[in-house]
Amino acid sequence: MVKVEFRIRRFDGERSYWESYELEAKRGMTVLEALFHIKENLDGSLAFRASCRMGICGSCAVKINDKPRLACETQILAIGKSLIKIEPLDNFRILKDLVTDFEGFFAKHKKVKPYLIRDVSYSNPVELLQSPRELDRYYIYTLCIKCGACYSVCPAAATRESYLGPAAMTAAYRFCADSRDRGKRKRIPILSEDGGVWRCHLAMECSEVCPKGVEPAKAVQMMRRSTAIEMIRSLFRRSR
Ligand code: FES
């Protein structure tokens, strides 16, 4: 057992302040378990978000010692510090303590049409076959759990409210790169808007912090490429 101080950034709707709690951490204990321990034994007013407790739902992302991470996947002793600072994610409005407002984030996600779009309708279900190579083109991007870690470190999202952000653009690329999808022409005008692909600063921080190794920065660059190609094509179409 190791004594650890948890310094948590609290927010009560008006005031933001730090509050410290001490607890004995044992091997294997996660930051999320510490938060539950604090809530159940030391301070029932502490608010945080969690669901699956196994790195799947993405709801427990917080800043741990200045870096966005999943609380349920971060073991306390692996951090190797006797002081652990926990804060809500940056670039999101704070509702209470560690709970942030994801409404805008999900609205941006929805805006890029993150689903398969077909150009024909079928009266009966059909099987759309795909080769392993075709699957490889987008598989890594399906692993995004919408935790918001990438968005929280994005300098473009920090300075421009309308910026779609790395997670939404990763979702757009995931479907544009899918051989079964026919929605690229519908998504590209959305990604060409003021808050779209051209606003990315290439900071690459999003890929650095992604807990699932998704590489949103690469997806944004791939979407940029598709957008540029489509813009050139439409110029040619117009000049004919
Ligand atoms: S609680 Fe679901 S990812 Fe951490």
Side-chain angles (χ1 to χ4, degrees):
M1 298 281 243
V2 179
K3 195 173 270 184
V4 180
E5 177 188 346
F6 283 83
R7 196 173 292 166
I8 301 178
R9 179 72 126 182
R10 310 274 320 254
F11 178 66
D12 61 10
E14 287 174 0
R15 194 169 63 97
S16 180
Y17 56 96
W18 290 97
E19 190 136 27
S20 285
Y21 306 91
E22 247 183 35
L23 59 92
E24 303 271 333
K26 56 179 186 229
R27 199 162 157 254
M29 188 175 183
T30 64
V31 169
L32 183 60
E33 285 171 318
L35 291 174
F36 272 111
H37 177 87
I38 293 166
K39 188 168 180 69
E40 284 161 13
N41 302 288
L42 306 174
D43 186 344
S45 71
L46 178 67
F48 56 92
R49 201 185 268 131
S51 180
C52 71
R53 306 191 191 196
M54 55 195 287
I56 300 293
C57 72
S59 48
C60 68
V62 286
K63 235 164 64 172
I64 301 172
N65 284 355
D66 301 318
K67 189 179 170 191
R69 304 172 81 148
L70 296 179
C72 69
E73 284 203 324
T74 307
Q75 292 196 10
I76 297 165
L77 299 189
I79 297 172
K81 301 259 191 266
S82 56
L83 169 67
I84 296 180
K85 254 189 331 166
I86 308 181
E87 297 167 83
L89 292 179
D90 290 330
N91 296 348
F92 289 90
R93 188 170 68 92
I94 304 167
L95 298 175
K96 182 171 174 8
D97 301 336
L98 304 173
V99 178
T100 47
D101 182 2
F102 264 58
E103 221 167 272
F105 176 84
F106 286 126
K108 287 174 180 179
H109 188 253
K110 191 173 169 194
K111 190 173 174 186
V112 302
K113 305 182 187 298
Y115 41 81
L116 282 181
I117 297 173
R118 297 289 298 165
D119 50 3
V120 285
S121 56
Y122 306 97
S123 44
N124 290 312
V126 291
E127 193 178 12
L128 298 168
L129 296 178
Q130 201 162 52
S131 69
R133 207 164 162 185
E134 286 170 329
L135 175 67
D136 275 353
R137 284 184 64 206
Y138 68 88
Y139 176 72
I140 182 84
Y141 306 108
T142 67
L143 304 180
C144 171
I145 56 171
K146 323 285 178 288
C147 66
C150 58
Y151 192 91
S152 76
V153 293
C154 173
T159 51
R160 185 169 291 263
E161 174 96 42
S162 64
Y163 184 57
L164 287 168
M169 289 198 263
T170 298
Y173 182 67
R174 176 257 174 270
F175 286 97
C176 288
D178 190 319
S179 59
R180 299 165 298 177
D181 184 76
R182 298 289 177 271
K184 199 189 260 187
R185 286 225 176 135
K186 289 192 174 148
R187 292 187 198 100
I188 280 187
I190 300 162
L191 292 153
S192 312
E193 285 174 7
D194 185 49
V197 287
W198 306 113
R199 290 288 174 191
C200 169
H201 295 183
L202 284 179
M204 315 294 279
E205 282 290 302
C206 50
S207 293
E208 186 68 35
V209 300
C210 176
K212 295 289 163 185
V214 167
E215 287 201 74
K218 187 173 170 192
V220 175
Q221 297 321 303
M222 296 301 278
M223 265 329 304
R224 266 187 168 180
R225 185 172 175 268
S226 302
T227 306
I229 292 171
E230 193 49 40
M231 282 165 82
I232 293 166
R233 277 193 187 138
S234 76
L235 279 176
F236 271 119
R237 277 197 294 271
R238 260 186 267 153
S239 65
R240 267 197 218 136

